[in-house]
Amino acid sequence: MKILVSACLLGMPVRYDGRSKGLVSDWLSRLGAERVLLPFCPEVAGGLPTPRPPAERRGERVVTEAGLDVTAEFDRGAELALALCQREGIRVALLKEGSPSCGSGRIYSGRFDGISLPGEGKTASLLRRHGIAVFSEDQLGELASLLTAS
């Protein structure tokens, strides 16, 4: 089974601040040995540089704190993630919580105030609409249960 994984969770420095989140755990290491993990950053794939200004969702739009609309890049990255999943037969994704691309349960408010609210990023939402199960790094237990059952 192949699993799409936010590249930043695998230690790749692709986040807006040029860093990674490096979710390196025994569980993820074992998972990688047993499954094919495909790293992907929708924001970079969509054409945004690293580093880049932070961005947050405001409804269907994604904007930087300075007001620059980067929705097209986020939408392009989401479409490319979906295309990769469809091409590779990927049915499961592990994405970075809070991200305007990858957040699967919470995203920032859109006011750049550090407050997160229930919501989904562009990529997580698109993948779910196409039947791909999306998990965050806070749901590793649920993901493990799904993988064990399959």
Side-chain angles (χ1 to χ4, degrees):
M1 173 185 288
K2 296 177 183 178
I3 302 170
L4 183 76
V5 181
S6 290
C8 65
L9 293 178
L10 294 175
M12 298 176 182
V14 293
R15 285 173 32 97
Y16 75 92
D17 58 7
R19 297 181 178 176
S20 73
K21 281 311 240 185
L23 178 65
V24 179
S25 68
D26 291 338
W27 182 85
L28 193 58
S29 296
R30 283 194 311 276
L31 180 66
E34 299 167 11
R35 313 258 195 272
V36 176
L37 304 179
L38 294 173
F40 190 83
C41 177
E43 295 170 27
V44 171
L48 294 172
T50 303
R52 57 191 165 273
E56 295 185 6
R57 279 194 77 165
R58 290 187 184 157
E60 288 304 308
R61 294 178 49 231
V62 182
V63 298
T64 67
E65 193 168 14
L68 178 65
D69 189 324
V70 289
T71 305
E73 290 86 346
F74 277 74
D75 286 343
R76 185 177 314 115
E79 290 290 342
L80 290 169
L82 176 61
L84 175 64
C85 289
Q86 291 173 332
R87 184 173 61 250
E88 296 293 330
I90 296 170
R91 305 303 310 152
V92 177
L94 174 61
L95 303 179
K96 176 69 187 106
E97 191 65 272
S99 160
S101 288
C102 298
S104 61
R106 299 194 67 79
I107 57 173
Y108 287 98
S109 69
R111 297 182 302 266
F112 297 89
D113 55 11
I115 296 172
S116 69
L117 303 170
E120 292 182 311
K122 291 278 196 168
T123 298
S125 178
L126 183 64
L127 295 181
R128 279 193 173 134
R129 286 196 314 266
H130 284 85
I132 296 167
V134 177
F135 296 86
S136 77
E137 73 274 19
D138 300 327
Q139 298 174 304
L140 295 179
E142 292 95 329
L143 176 55
S145 294
L146 174 76
L147 296 175
T148 301
S150 53

